[in-house]
Amino acid sequence: MKYRSLALLPALLLSASLAACSPSGGTSDDTGDGRTVLDVWLMRDSVSAEFQKEFETGFEASHPEIDLKIQIQEWEGIGEKVTAALASNDAPDVIEVGNTQVAQYAQSGGLTDFSDRVDELGGDSWLEGLAEPGSYDGKQYGIPYYAANRVVIHRTDLFEKAGVDPAAIRTREQWIAATRKLDQGGTQGIYLPGQNWYVLAGFVWDEGGDLAVESGGEWKGGLDSPEALRAMDFYRRLQALGKGPKDSDEARPPQAEVMAQGKVAQLIAVPGGAKVIEEKNPELKGKLGFFPIPGKTAEEPGAVFTGGSDLVVPAVAAHQEEAFTFIRELTGDAWQKKLAVAMSYVPNKTTLADAVSGDPGTAAMAAGAANGHATPNTPQWAAVEAKNPIKEYMTAVLTGSDAESEAAEASRTITDTLNSGS
C-alpha cells in the first residue's frame, strides 16, 4: 500500500518484464572482490533517495562482505512481477510487499519461513496490523517494515470558533457531539463519503466484530453480526453530519480537494492528506491539526486499518542469511527510528512510537496504530475487494434500505467469495 488503499496493489504486468528489471541477476554472488551481491526490491516512495543512500552506506560499513543493490520498483504491475520472481530461479533476495499481500504469496510455498527467528527480530513488539497479515497458516513469512493509518484531519480555526477542544474528544459519542456543533453555518461537520469501507471496518473492530471470521477452515462474512450492525449505525450517524456523497468513496471526488474548498471541518485520512489540502488551498496552511480516530471508550483510540509493508524473502533466493541480515538491520530499532522521521511513517514496533512524537500528524497516526487491524488474512480477500459488496451495502443503508437484510446479503457474497478458492 503506498498506503495500499490505505491500499491494495493494482492489477498485474506480464512476467516477461522480470528479467529486464533485475540487472544484477538475482543470483550473482561475485563482485570481483569476493563480496556477496544482495539484490533487494523496495517500492516507489517507501524510502527517499537520501534515506536509501544513508542506509546503503551504513549497512555496507557494518557488513563489508555484502554489496547491497537496492532496486526501486513501481506499484503498478508489481503483483505478477513478484509472483514470477517467486517461481523463478533468478529471484531477488528481499522483496517489499504490501502487508495484505503476504498470504497470497505464501500460499504457493514461495516464501521463506521466519517463524524461528521472530524473537531475534523483536517480534513481541510488532504492530499487530503488520505482523498478523505477515503470517499464513501459523507461520511468519512477512517481517513488518512500516505502517500508515488514518487519523482525523481537522480545521483548528473552525474548531476554535465552535468552542470545540479536539483534545477533549476521546470517545465516539464525544466525537458525534463535537461534529454536530461544527455542522452549521455553511460548514460541514465532517466530510465522510458513504463508501469509505476502511473507516467502517474500524468501527466494526471497535465493536468486537470483524468483516469475516474463519471456523473449521471455512469463512463467513461478518457484516450481519450485531457488532457490525452497531458499527454501521454509528457510521450512518456520523456521515449525516456533512454532505459527503452516499454512493461514492473517498477518491470520487478526492476528499482532500473537497476539504481544500474551505467548507469542511474535518475528514478521515492519512496525515499526508493535509499536504494535499494545503497545496490546493495555501490559505489553510497552519490551520490543520490531527487527532486519532476516537474509540468506543476513552481507554484506547479507535481501531484502524493498518496499511503498510512487510519484507519477504523468496524461498529460492540465493543468499538467505545475508537477506536476513538486511531485514534485521532495516527493521531494527535504529533504522526504524530514522525511517519514521524521514518518511513520516509509523515504525514497525509499538515501543518506537516516541520516534515520531515531534510530527503531529505522524504522532496521531502512531497513537492509532496501537489499535491497528488488518483485513481477513486469506488469499481470497483480494477477490472480495474486487467485488466490494461492502461499498454497495453501505450505500444501500445510507439511502434508506433495511440494514439487517442488506448486511445479510453482503455477508453471503463475502462468504461465497472467500470460500470459492478452498
Side-chain angles (χ1 to χ4, degrees):
M1 274 182 199
K2 188 64 188 188
Y3 305 147
R4 257 62 89 208
S5 83
L6 239 173
L8 296 176
L9 297 178
L12 311 173
L13 287 178
L14 294 176
S15 60
S17 65
L18 175 63
C21 294
S22 184
S24 56
T27 59
S28 172
D29 60 0
D30 185 6
T31 63
D33 58 7
R35 293 188 297 159
T36 296
V37 175
L38 190 72
D39 287 314
V40 175
W41 287 0
L42 296 183
M43 300 309 301
R44 175 71 61 195
D45 296 330
S46 76
V47 294
S48 64
E50 183 179 1
F51 178 89
Q52 180 181 337
K53 182 178 180 180
E54 181 184 3
F55 177 80
E56 288 177 337
T57 300
F59 180 85
E60 291 184 347
S62 299
H63 305 281
E65 74 282 5
I66 298 176
D67 181 20
L68 180 59
K69 301 294 185 184
I70 294 177
Q71 301 173 42
I72 300 301
Q73 306 293 321
E74 302 296 334
W75 283 111
E76 183 176 358
I78 193 63
E80 188 164 317
K81 191 172 181 181
V82 171
T83 299
L86 298 181
S88 75
N89 292 318
D90 190 33
D93 298 294
V94 181
I95 304 174
E96 175 191 346
V97 300
N99 60 324
T100 59
Q101 274 69 59
V102 177
Q104 70 185 71
Y105 300 137
Q107 184 184 40
S108 66
L111 300 182
T112 297
D113 176 13
F114 287 107
S115 300
D116 61 347
R117 309 193 78 168
V118 168
D119 290 344
E120 190 176 348
L121 295 168
D124 58 343
S125 300
W126 283 340
L127 294 176
E128 184 63 25
L130 292 179
E132 194 275 333
S135 66
Y136 178 72
D137 200 22
K139 298 178 180 179
Q140 193 72 40
Y141 295 98
I143 305 305
Y145 177 23
Y146 68 85
N149 51 264
R150 290 165 175 79
V151 300
V152 181
I153 302 175
H154 69 283
R155 286 274 302 275
T156 56
D157 56 333
L158 296 180
F159 269 59
E160 184 177 355
K161 181 179 179 180
V164 175
D165 179 6
I169 303 175
R170 301 290 302 280
T171 69
R172 292 196 330 217
E173 289 304 320
Q174 290 171 342
W175 192 20
I176 286 282
T179 303
R180 188 172 291 117
K181 292 180 66 176
L182 292 157
D183 189 41
Q184 54 185 312
T187 297
Q188 297 183 54
I190 188 169
Y191 181 82
L192 180 60
Q195 295 183 348
N196 196 331
W197 69 274
Y198 282 105
V199 173
L200 173 64
F203 300 155
V204 173
W205 293 321
D206 264 346
E207 293 287 349
D210 209 335
L211 302 176
V213 293
E214 183 183 22
S215 178
E218 293 289 314
W219 286 89
K220 183 180 185 302
L223 292 179
D224 55 344
S225 70
E227 295 84 0
L229 289 169
R230 289 197 299 268
M232 186 63 225
D233 185 62
F234 178 80
Y235 191 103
R236 177 189 58 78
R237 293 168 58 205
L238 184 65
Q239 199 271 341
L241 297 175
K243 298 178 181 178
K246 295 177 172 59
D247 60 350
S248 64
D249 60 23
E250 61 272 30
R252 300 174 296 129
Q255 62 177 1
E257 295 183 10
V258 175
M259 191 168 185
Q261 295 171 11
K263 300 296 184 180
V264 173
Q266 43 182 344
L267 57 73
I268 302 169
V270 296
K275 295 179 181 178
V276 177
I277 295 168
E278 292 174 350
E279 288 172 359
K280 296 293 182 179
N281 185 353
E283 293 183 4
L284 295 182
K285 287 185 177 180
K287 297 180 180 179
L288 299 177
F290 312 86
F291 58 89
I293 294 174
K296 187 175 181 180
T297 68
E299 280 64 43
E300 64 179 353
V304 291
F305 167 71
T306 302
S309 288
D310 283 12
L311 298 175
V312 300
V313 174
V316 296
H319 310 113
Q320 294 283 325
E321 196 58 36
E322 291 86 352
F324 180 79
T325 298
F326 170 87
I327 289 175
R328 185 179 60 206
E329 292 280 353
L330 187 54
T331 66
D333 291 4
W335 286 106
Q336 279 290 300
K337 291 177 182 179
K338 292 180 179 181
L339 179 69
V341 172
M343 303 301 296
S344 296
Y345 291 150
V346 177
N348 62 0
K349 299 183 182 73
T350 57
T351 52
L352 301 179
D354 287 349
V356 294
S357 59
D359 182 325
T362 311
M365 191 164 60
N371 195 12
H373 295 251
T375 50
N377 191 13
T378 166
Q380 296 301 315
W381 184 255
V384 172
E385 292 200 18
K387 295 182 178 180
N388 225 317
I390 307 174
K391 286 186 173 184
E392 296 176 5
Y393 157 64
M394 295 173 73
T395 293
V397 174
L398 294 174
T399 53
S401 296
D402 179 70
E404 290 191 15
S405 61
E406 294 291 344
E409 181 177 348
S411 290
R412 282 194 293 271
T413 300
I414 293 173
T415 298
D416 292 344
T417 304
L418 292 183
N419 294 317
S420 63
S422 59

